[in-house]
Amino acid sequence: MVWLEQLFGNTHKLTSEFRMSKQSPFTLASYPTAILHVDADAFFTSVEQAIHPSLKRQPIVTGKERNIISCASYEAKALGIKRGLPLFRAKRLCPKLVILPSDYETYSLYSKRMFSIIQRYTPLIEENSIDENFADISGFRRIFHAPYEQIALQMQNAIKEELDITVSIGLSLTKSLAKLASDFRKPGGLTAVQGRHIHILLQQIPLGKVWGFGPNTVQLLAKYGLKTAYDFAIKPENWVNHLLGKVGREILAELRGKVVYPVTPGEKASYATISKCRTFTPSSAIKEFVYATLVRNVESAFTKMRRHKLKAKTITIILREQDFNQTGIETDLSHPTASTQEMIPIIKTLFERLFKDNTEYRATIVVLGKLAEDRREQYELFEDRLRIERLSGVTKVVDKINEHFGKHTLSLAPTLFLKRTEQSSRDTQPMRKNTLLQGETRRRRLNLPLLFIKV
């Protein structure tokens, strides 16, 4: 466990330095609120090493199915191998690199178990992604008869003991500060930043690390001479409001220790867009194959959208070429829809406009936008309402069949071309899918990760 003073020097020395300087704390309160940011370290590869103990202390990566690294273990990171690096480059850096297909089913199970451990300490948990969350433990010192730092340490140790993975935890007054603190000492670190030490933390944080600041915002602030989060935090609120508006004011308050974004329990329920991407290796110039992958993306995106009871008013398709250049086209729909079948003629038209003969493609992308709740919309005067209702009925039947027999059991005809393509390294299945218990199938399995231990 690490307190902020331990990261930057002797506590007494720091205290005297700040007493002599004009820099003063934003608040003298230690923990008016206590927010944790729990971030699993190299989550995908850590899970693989947990279920395959023989892989521990070895450089491993996941992403074989995409031919691009989706996660690298810390042993691989030490060799310069990072997320997003093409596999052929990673192999040059480390010929003995262990490359695995991503097992998202098992990662999801570990994620749920990690969150269930955190729930023992507080019911206020907000899922930020599959491998990180925020937790509000304010007031729980009375229940656990321990300081907040000790509660966070107990949580961290429980995750390590029960799941055999490590997490880095940041503890501070707000979500923004906790997220900054969790990055300080990875892997397996615990950094606690009390209110009276916020300004010390912020002086060590470049603007690009602040949650909510994108590259454009960082460049804008740099033009005014700002380099660190502290430089921003000491600016007057009126100045920030003029430059960045409401979002800037909220980030300013969070960095000063005032809660603007409370921890909100529950899964993510709102989406601005829904997108699906399918990368294929080797690249292909076969028109039917590229179109089949695009249609599969459309099916997956619309299935997710219907699961959240939403409809889309715009759709964008993108074709990415072998050299990573990409072209796309967006269209507004005459009315919001959640029907895959209703969308396919439009997708076909857009695809014909984008596809270029004798061009190698490596990925297709679909983005659904202007999402709204799936309510009965107002009828238009000249729309074919009978056709719309019929296609909506077909969609419901398809969803029921796929829910019962497995995803894509019943799919659109163009996707049948995918089954006739040659197998490649991308088609290698995770070991869990190839190691079935009695009664399991590749589509329907028990929610149990398997440990592959040699005895």
Side-chain angles (χ1 to χ4, degrees):
M1 176 164 48
V2 171
W3 280 265
L4 191 64
E5 305 89 13
Q6 293 173 269
L7 290 170
F8 304 120
N10 181 274
T11 304
H12 298 294
K13 181 180 179 181
L14 276 173
T15 303
S16 61
E17 286 180 356
F18 279 100
R19 281 176 180 171
M20 295 173 61
S21 71
K22 295 182 180 179
Q23 299 163 344
S24 59
F26 296 109
T27 176
L28 294 177
S30 56
Y31 291 110
T33 52
I35 308 297
L36 299 178
H37 180 245
V38 184
D39 188 7
D41 302 314
F43 182 58
F44 293 173
T45 51
S46 293
V47 171
E48 294 289 353
Q49 290 174 326
I51 62 178
H52 302 282
S54 60
L55 297 179
K56 289 187 175 182
R57 293 176 292 280
Q58 292 191 44
I60 71 170
V61 297
T62 61
K64 187 176 183 179
E65 75 287 353
R66 298 172 58 226
N67 230 29
I68 294 178
I69 294 173
S70 58
C71 183
S73 67
Y74 279 90
E75 294 83 0
K77 289 179 180 180
L79 301 173
I81 298 172
K82 300 178 181 180
R83 179 181 179 183
L85 190 71
L87 288 180
F88 74 90
R89 293 183 182 176
K91 290 179 182 177
R92 291 177 185 173
L93 293 172
C94 180
K96 295 184 179 181
L97 185 68
V98 179
I99 303 172
L100 303 172
S102 300
D103 186 358
Y104 294 109
E105 181 182 32
T106 298
Y107 306 154
S108 178
L109 292 175
Y110 265 72
S111 175
K112 291 177 181 178
R113 293 190 176 191
M114 181 176 71
F115 294 160
S116 68
I117 292 173
I118 298 172
Q119 283 179 327
R120 300 174 193 169
Y121 298 87
T122 174
L124 296 179
I125 302 174
E126 178 181 340
E127 181 178 344
N128 196 43
S129 68
I130 190 173
D131 62 344
E132 61 175 313
N133 64 73
F134 294 100
D136 188 341
I137 58 173
S138 304
F140 281 85
R141 288 181 294 192
R142 180 176 301 178
I143 295 177
F144 291 97
H145 304 289
Y148 290 130
E149 295 88 351
Q150 194 64 37
I151 296 173
L153 183 61
Q154 292 176 18
M155 183 187 301
Q156 188 180 49
N157 290 337
I159 293 173
K160 173 61 178 175
E161 292 175 4
E162 298 182 31
L163 301 183
D164 198 20
I165 63 174
T166 63
V167 296
S168 295
I169 297 181
L171 166 63
S172 195
L173 281 62
T174 67
K175 289 165 69 172
S176 296
L177 291 170
K179 191 169 177 65
L180 292 175
S182 66
D183 283 336
F184 252 98
R185 187 170 171 261
K186 279 179 159 291
L190 170 55
T191 305
V193 184
Q194 299 180 14
R196 62 177 66 91
H197 295 145
I198 290 174
H199 58 303
I200 308 177
L201 169 71
L202 296 183
Q203 290 176 63
Q204 312 299 319
I205 304 295
L207 283 172
K209 294 287 187 180
V210 175
W211 191 31
F213 282 175
N216 291 334
T217 302
V218 172
Q219 291 177 15
L220 174 62
L221 294 174
K223 288 179 172 61
Y224 289 90
L226 278 62
K227 297 180 180 180
T228 68
Y230 180 78
D231 295 337
F232 175 78
I234 61 176
K235 284 294 183 181
E237 184 175 341
N238 290 340
W239 185 88
V240 172
N241 182 60
H242 175 74
L243 198 66
L244 301 178
K246 178 175 179 290
V247 173
R249 294 198 316 269
E250 292 175 346
I251 295 175
L252 179 70
E254 283 264 321
L255 294 180
R256 291 177 173 180
K258 180 180 178 181
V259 175
V260 178
Y261 307 126
V263 175
T264 306
E267 296 183 358
K268 183 177 181 179
S270 61
Y271 291 86
T273 61
I274 289 177
S275 62
K276 291 293 181 179
C277 175
R278 185 179 178 90
T279 303
F280 34 92
T281 302
S283 56
S284 177
I286 302 174
K287 187 175 183 179
E288 293 81 2
F289 173 76
V290 177
Y291 181 61
T293 64
L294 180 65
V295 172
R296 178 52 53 85
N297 285 337
V298 173
E299 288 182 324
S300 298
F302 269 78
T303 298
K304 181 176 181 179
M305 184 172 63
R306 290 192 295 269
R307 188 165 64 246
H308 291 280
K309 296 180 172 56
L310 298 170
K311 287 185 176 182
K313 188 65 168 60
T314 67
I315 186 166
T316 304
I317 69 169
I318 300 170
L319 303 184
R320 183 176 296 161
E321 300 174 16
Q322 174 62 18
D323 58 4
F324 287 90
N325 289 327
Q326 59 186 37
T327 55
I329 187 170
E330 177 182 297
T331 186
D332 289 318
L333 308 178
S334 60
H335 61 276
T337 182
S339 171
T340 313
Q341 288 72 22
E342 185 180 358
M343 186 55 53
I344 289 303
I346 298 174
I347 294 295
K348 180 66 173 177
T349 301
L350 298 178
F351 176 78
E352 292 291 347
R353 291 176 60 181
L354 283 181
F355 185 83
K356 295 179 291 187
D357 292 326
N358 302 318
T359 300
E360 295 280 336
Y361 291 97
R362 70 184 318 273
T364 59
I365 305 169
V366 170
V367 182
L368 306 180
K370 292 186 180 179
L371 303 182
E373 292 185 15
D374 188 0
R375 297 175 178 174
R376 179 175 290 276
E377 70 273 15
Q378 183 177 353
Y379 292 168
E380 299 292 336
L381 182 60
F382 300 106
E383 70 181 8
D384 189 347
R385 176 48 53 178
L386 180 60
R387 176 177 176 274
I388 292 173
E389 293 294 343
R390 284 177 175 173
L391 291 177
S392 178
V394 171
T395 298
K396 292 178 181 178
V397 172
V398 172
D399 283 346
K400 287 184 178 180
I401 292 175
N402 288 339
E403 182 179 357
H404 183 75
F405 293 102
K407 186 178 180 182
H408 300 310
T409 297
L410 191 60
S411 59
L412 295 167
T415 62
L416 295 175
F417 194 90
L418 297 175
K419 297 182 179 180
R420 300 200 299 268
T421 57
E422 295 183 3
Q423 297 290 303
S424 68
S425 60
R426 290 191 67 257
D427 300 299
T428 304
Q429 296 291 329
M431 192 174 293
R432 177 65 178 95
K433 287 192 175 183
N434 293 323
T435 309
L436 303 177
L437 301 176
Q438 186 174 359
E440 289 185 325
T441 66
R442 287 194 175 187
R443 285 293 184 189
R444 301 177 68 85
R445 292 184 303 283
L446 297 173
N447 288 330
L448 292 173
L450 298 184
L451 301 180
F452 298 90
I453 301 175
K454 295 181 180 180
V455 293

